[in-house]
């Protein structure tokens, strides 16, 4: 009788232990269990450790992107904020001068639709795009991450007015057969232009099939020189220097046939014509004065 009661008690304890959940009690560890072909397997934990409990996976800024950005007026400015291990955190762009929230994630929170956030899946970049940047957009912008406490990185934007200038007068008169020689320089540009194109009217002449056209561009000095040899009246027109990152500049070129007398000529020819005309007038005036003196005696 006693032996039967002991067996029942042992079986009862075994049943109770078998019914207890694995997570009951921190000190309890599930024993190995027999798997396929007698290989012992361990019961996996009830849940993985939270990702944010691991210090190496907390969000941080990748400072390899520049925090100082210079852009030209009218161009699109990009502020690149790179965040590693963002997880489920949100990235917010704030304009510091008026503490205005511009974007949160990919949502825009300003009525100025020039501001948008750019982000690609699996990318660490959260870019603030400012279309048609103006001088008034210059200032400090903050890229914030919704951690506790908040993380932020400041970006300084400077918007400058870049312009092209063609040396010499705005109107040039030349005799047929002369060479057109124009030099364009770019000022106020944050970086050298990727290219400088020349146009006559709306026609690109950098790669013209006319022949006798030379374009030499020096990105380091930000200048471009256009030479058109043996110009004819067909080469007359509006010549425009159009850099990639600056406002264009134009001059008007007039090619004249022999016998025509322009008001201005490139290379000093206009000054010669003007002086000759003035000298002729002075001689005529002097002759008239002498004739008047003789007749009044």
């Amino acid at each position: 009788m006693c032996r039967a009661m002991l067996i029942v008690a042992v079986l009862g304890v075994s049943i109770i232990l078998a019914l207890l959940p694995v997570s009951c009690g921190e000190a309890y560890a599930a024993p190995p269990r027999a798997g396929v072909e007698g290989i012992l397997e361990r019961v996996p934990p009830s849940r993985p450790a939270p990702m944010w409990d691991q210090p190496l996976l907390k969000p941080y800024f990748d400072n390899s992107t520049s925090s100082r950005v210079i852009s030209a007026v009218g161009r699109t400015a990009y502020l690149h904020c790179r965040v590693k291990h963002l997880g489920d955190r949100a990235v917010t762009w704030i304009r510091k001068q008026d503490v205005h929230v511009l974007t949160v994630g990919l949502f825009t929170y300003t009525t100025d639709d020039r501001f948008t956030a750019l982000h690609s899946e699996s990318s660490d970049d959260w870019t603030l795009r400012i279309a048609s940047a103006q001088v008034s957009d210059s200032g400090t912008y903050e890229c914030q991450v919704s951690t506790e406490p908040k993380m932020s990185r400041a970006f300084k934007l400077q918007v400058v007015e870049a312009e092209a200038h063609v040396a010499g007068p705005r109107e040039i008169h030349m005799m047929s057969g002369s060479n057109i020689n124009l030099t364009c320089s770019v000022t106020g540009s944050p970086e050298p232009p990727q290219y400088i194109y020349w146009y006559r009217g709306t026609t690109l002449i950098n790669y013209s099939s006319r022949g006798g056209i030379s374009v030499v561009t020096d990105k380091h000095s930000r200048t471009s020189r256009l030479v058109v040899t043996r110009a004819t009246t067909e080469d007359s027109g509006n010549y425009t220097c159009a850099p990639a990152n600056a406002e264009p500049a134009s001059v008007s070129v007039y090619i004249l046939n022999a016998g025509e007398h322009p008001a201005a000529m490139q290379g000093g020819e206009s000054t010669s014509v003007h002086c000759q005309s003035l000298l002729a007038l002075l001689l005529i005036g002097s002759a008239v004065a002498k004739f008047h003196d003789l007749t009044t005696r």
Side-chain angles (χ1 to χ4, degrees):
M1 178 69 177
C2 289
R3 182 178 297 176
M5 292 178 64
L6 181 60
I7 292 171
V8 171
V10 171
L11 289 173
V13 171
S14 299
I15 292 170
I16 292 172
L17 290 175
L19 293 175
L20 284 174
V22 175
S23 60
C24 183
E26 293 295 331
Y28 174 74
R33 65 187 181 189
V36 180
E37 297 181 358
I39 298 176
L40 294 179
E41 297 177 352
R42 293 193 175 274
V43 178
S46 58
R47 67 175 181 87
M51 184 168 65
W52 306 117
D53 292 345
Q54 304 176 38
L56 293 179
L57 293 180
K58 287 185 178 178
Y60 67 91
F61 291 108
D62 181 346
N63 294 328
S64 62
T65 59
S66 176
S67 60
R68 182 176 178 81
V69 177
I70 302 177
S71 179
V73 169
R75 304 293 175 175
T76 300
Y78 296 93
L79 307 183
H80 298 280
C81 182
R82 187 169 296 163
V83 185
K84 297 288 188 179
H85 305 308
L86 181 63
D88 58 357
R89 298 326 199 239
V91 173
T92 300
W93 278 102
I94 295 176
R95 183 170 54 206
K96 287 289 289 182
Q97 65 182 11
D98 55 1
V99 199
H100 187 81
V101 175
L102 301 173
T103 65
V104 177
L106 292 176
F107 296 96
T108 302
Y109 285 84
T110 175
T111 55
D112 190 341
D113 58 6
R114 296 181 304 119
F115 293 87
T116 52
L118 305 178
H119 174 71
S120 301
E121 253 185 82
S122 74
S123 169
D124 296 323
D125 290 340
W126 292 84
T127 302
L128 180 65
R129 178 181 183 270
I130 307 173
S132 187
Q134 303 299 316
V135 173
S136 58
D137 293 321
S138 299
T140 302
Y141 295 79
E142 263 194 9
C143 172
Q144 288 189 355
V145 179
S146 60
T147 53
E148 269 308 323
K150 281 185 171 57
M151 298 167 49
S152 65
R153 186 184 178 204
F155 290 79
K156 180 75 173 179
L157 173 65
Q158 181 182 1
V159 182
V160 296
E161 293 186 270
E163 296 178 325
H165 301 274
V166 178
R170 299 281 72 84
E171 288 191 6
I172 300 172
H173 295 78
M174 303 179 64
M175 298 305 298
S176 178
S178 302
N179 295 339
I180 301 173
N181 195 331
L182 302 175
T183 300
C184 175
S185 58
V186 180
T187 60
S189 172
E191 57 188 11
Q194 293 182 353
Y195 58 82
I196 298 178
Y197 287 154
W198 285 92
Y199 292 86
R200 184 175 63 84
T202 58
T203 303
L204 178 67
I205 59 176
N206 288 61
Y207 312 105
S208 173
S209 59
R210 171 196 182 277
I213 294 179
S214 170
V215 176
V216 178
T217 299
D218 183 356
K219 290 185 179 180
H220 180 71
S221 63
R222 306 182 187 192
T223 60
S224 181
R225 183 183 178 190
L226 169 69
V227 176
V228 181
T229 59
R230 298 180 180 179
T232 67
T233 54
E234 293 181 356
D235 294 313
S236 297
N238 192 58
Y239 284 76
T240 301
C241 166
N245 59 348
E247 288 298 311
S250 299
V251 295
S252 296
V253 177
Y254 301 94
I255 307 300
L256 306 172
N257 291 317
E260 295 180 291
H261 298 288
M265 295 182 67
Q266 193 180 46
E269 296 179 28
S270 62
T271 303
S272 176
V273 171
H274 179 70
C275 289
Q276 291 175 7
S277 301
L278 182 60
L279 180 60
L281 289 174
L282 290 174
L283 290 173
I284 293 173
S286 177
V288 169
K290 286 183 179 180
F291 178 77
H292 179 74
D293 288 341
L294 290 173
T295 56
T296 55
R297 286 179 182 178

